[in-house]
Amino acid sequence: MKRWIVNASPFICLAKAGNLDLLLKLPDELIVPSAVVEEIQAGRSSDPAQVALTSGKFPVSAISVLPEILAWDLGIGETAVLSYALSHPGWTAIIDDRAARKCALSFSIPTKGTLAVVILAKKHGLVNSAGDVMRSLRAAGLRLDDEIIRVALKKTVNEDW
């Protein structure tokens, strides 16, 4: 069973790129921490991520922050995501932040980034072109190195960047 807890950056970028539905289709369960909702709501009210949150499709949950995660001095969203994943084995943190991924690694918390979500979507036939989705995500503000994208696409879905 795939259980995901999502951070603000993947949520916002997927929403801006028009692919937020992937977060509803790929995992069996999904949670958006209330701290992540607060981060998203701090932006413009017309932001696609804010609009999506008002739809009621995304389950929101208050998360108890763990002191061992808090000690890493991450953002409130990252702290909530990793606290939940650490205290609930079997959940994967959907997170792009480098420092948060280092923290997750130190606690053996499984993670996936936005790129992995797109690759999974392609493998499950939910998108026609992972490369096109990645271009949309980059236009939406997701920062990923061209070489990382190229290698990931070539290895996993046989697409050229």
Side-chain angles (χ1 to χ4, degrees):
M1 176 173 275
K2 288 186 253 176
R3 295 177 172 150
W4 291 359
I5 182 158
V6 66
N7 193 38
S9 175
F11 195 95
I12 291 168
C13 288
L14 285 166
K16 285 182 179 178
N19 292 98
L20 192 56
D21 62 320
L22 298 178
L23 292 178
L24 295 171
K25 293 178 180 177
L26 286 166
D28 300 303
E29 289 183 62
L30 178 79
I31 291 178
V32 181
S34 54
V36 168
V37 171
E38 289 174 28
E39 286 183 325
I40 293 169
Q41 289 176 336
R44 293 173 304 143
S45 61
S46 62
D47 183 81
Q50 276 196 41
V51 173
L53 286 172
T54 63
S55 73
K57 294 179 185 177
F58 296 91
V60 176
S61 181
I63 306 295
S64 298
V65 172
L66 299 175
E68 57 264 47
I69 301 293
L70 193 58
W72 280 74
D73 198 29
L74 303 169
I76 61 168
E78 290 89 355
T79 300
V81 166
L82 295 178
S83 290
Y84 189 87
L86 183 59
S87 60
H88 294 83
W91 284 79
T92 298
I94 307 302
I95 201 158
D96 290 327
D97 181 81
R98 185 176 302 200
R101 289 175 76 91
K102 283 183 181 181
C103 175
L105 182 63
S106 75
F107 288 103
S108 300
I109 297 170
T111 63
K112 290 189 186 324
T114 304
L115 177 59
V117 171
V118 174
I119 299 294
L120 284 170
K122 173 64 177 171
K123 286 184 173 183
H124 285 86
L126 298 174
V127 297
N128 292 327
S129 167
D132 287 348
V133 174
M134 289 310 302
R135 279 185 272 284
S136 295
L137 286 166
R138 289 198 49 195
L142 183 65
R143 290 179 280 177
L144 278 176
D145 180 77
D146 282 347
E147 184 62 15
I148 291 171
I149 294 171
R150 188 186 65 71
V151 169
L153 292 175
K154 198 72 160 171
K155 280 186 177 178
T156 57
V157 294
N158 295 319
E159 283 189 33
D160 287 320
W161 177 242

